[in-house]
Amino acid sequence: MHVMRSNNAGQFSDRLAVSEDGVEMTFATNYLGHFLLTRLLLGRMADTARDTGVEGRVVNVSSTVHTWFAAADDPFAYLHRVTRKTTPYDPTKAYALSKLANVLHTKALADRLKEMGANVTANCVHPGIVRTRLIRDRAGLVTNTVFFLASKLLKTVHQAAATTCYAAVHPAVAGVSGKYFADCNEASPSKLASSSKEASKLWSFSEGITDEKEKQGVVHPTSFRLQVQNSNADRGMAIA
């Protein structure tokens, strides 16, 4: 048995939307809400792991799409431009950025857990290509035809969940932290996603936003208008 937290809710939005906190909504939903929730639960997870002797595990669900965000484009500058509408909104690029953030968050979180001496690990996974309801905004003849033609390559929901379950409970992953998994094996993320410097910058950036909410007494992820129903039960057709 493990003390486990899985960050899996997400969205793929065809249109630009900005949260009440002034953050592009795909980034806020797929990453920032998870950052805040994990941060709020971290002390409790560390205490529980210490008191029970059971290792805690945080699993971030990312995607191979994180590699689509070009290393030449600064993530924070791009997010700033998109949020302020000084550059055209590209839903795929916005999604790729949010998934890059999941990987960088994992790296930074693993470092902090080690510094804390907590018996808690943090890893992220690429579940694979699975037909859910994530991109339901694009549902239609063309999308349905593409997924039909690619059906032999798609994973079932159960198959897609296998890597998340592996990272969450398998004995082989005990003590392993800060890694990226695909098909129940350790894999290599993009060069940008492997950058300790970028991971540290993202952590500081995220703390800056969430600290402001905590000062205001708003310390729950719903402040980012997280759509909880965007979980596995209500996802769209997706490259997850």
Side-chain angles (χ1 to χ4, degrees), residues 34-49:
H34 295 318
F35 172 86
L36 175 56
L37 183 56
T38 301
R39 186 180 177 192
L40 294 174
L41 295 175
L42 207 55
R44 183 64 60 87
M45 286 190 69
D47 290 344
T48 302

Side-chain angles (χ1 to χ4, degrees), residues 2-231:
H2 295 278
V3 183
M4 195 271 285
R5 164 67 197 161
S6 177
N7 294 320
N8 192 36
Q11 74 169 24
F12 182 103
S13 178
D14 254 356
R15 299 175 181 83
L16 174 65
V18 178
S19 74
E20 289 181 350
D21 308 280
V23 181
E24 189 276 316
M25 191 63 80
T26 299
F27 186 86
T29 302
N30 295 3
Y31 162 67
L32 199 54
H34 295 318
F35 172 86
L36 175 56
L37 183 56
T38 301
R39 186 180 177 192
L40 294 174
L41 295 175
L42 207 55
R44 183 64 60 87
M45 286 190 69
D47 290 344
T48 302
R50 182 191 63 243
D51 295 342
T52 62
V54 177
E55 180 183 74
R57 297 185 183 182
V58 177
V59 180
N60 288 330
V61 178
S62 183
S63 169
T64 190
V65 176
H66 83 271
T67 63
W68 297 4
F69 191 88
D73 198 349
D74 180 83
F76 307 101
Y78 174 75
L79 183 63
H80 180 86
R81 295 196 308 270
V82 167
T83 301
R84 284 152 185 77
K85 302 179 182 178
T86 59
T87 194
Y89 176 70
D90 180 337
T92 301
K93 190 170 184 177
Y95 184 77
L97 174 58
S98 72
K99 292 296 150 181
L100 171 65
N102 292 147
V103 186
L104 290 171
H105 174 221
T106 302
K107 186 174 184 62
L109 179 58
D111 289 343
R112 279 153 182 77
L113 288 167
K114 184 176 180 180
E115 291 171 3
M116 291 168 58
N119 185 25
V120 180
T121 63
N123 292 294
C124 61
V125 303
H126 164 53
I129 305 174
V130 55
R131 182 164 185 160
T132 58
R133 295 188 62 250
L134 180 64
I135 54 173
R136 53 189 172 275
D137 290 345
R138 290 191 173 186
L141 179 61
V142 174
T143 299
N144 291 340
T145 300
V146 169
F147 274 92
F148 174 76
L149 294 174
S151 60
K152 297 298 184 182
L153 302 176
L154 300 181
K155 291 185 176 182
T156 66
V157 171
H158 291 89
Q159 290 171 334
T163 304
T164 300
C165 293
Y166 176 79
V169 301
H170 201 284
V173 193
V176 176
S177 195
K179 302 300 183 181
Y180 176 77
F181 290 88
D183 293 323
C184 296
N185 285 288
E186 187 177 330
S188 298
S190 69
K191 183 177 180 179
L192 183 59
S194 302
S195 170
S196 296
K197 180 180 178 181
E198 292 299 326
S200 181
K201 285 170 60 179
L202 177 66
W203 187 277
S204 297
F205 172 82
S206 305
E207 277 190 327
I209 296 175
T210 56
D211 279 349
E212 185 61 31
K213 301 307 293 184
E214 291 189 40
K215 289 176 184 177
Q216 297 171 13
V218 182
V219 294
H220 49 80
T222 52
S223 66
F224 297 104
R225 290 185 179 272
L226 263 177
Q227 301 301 311
V228 178
Q229 66 268 28
N230 285 337
S231 61

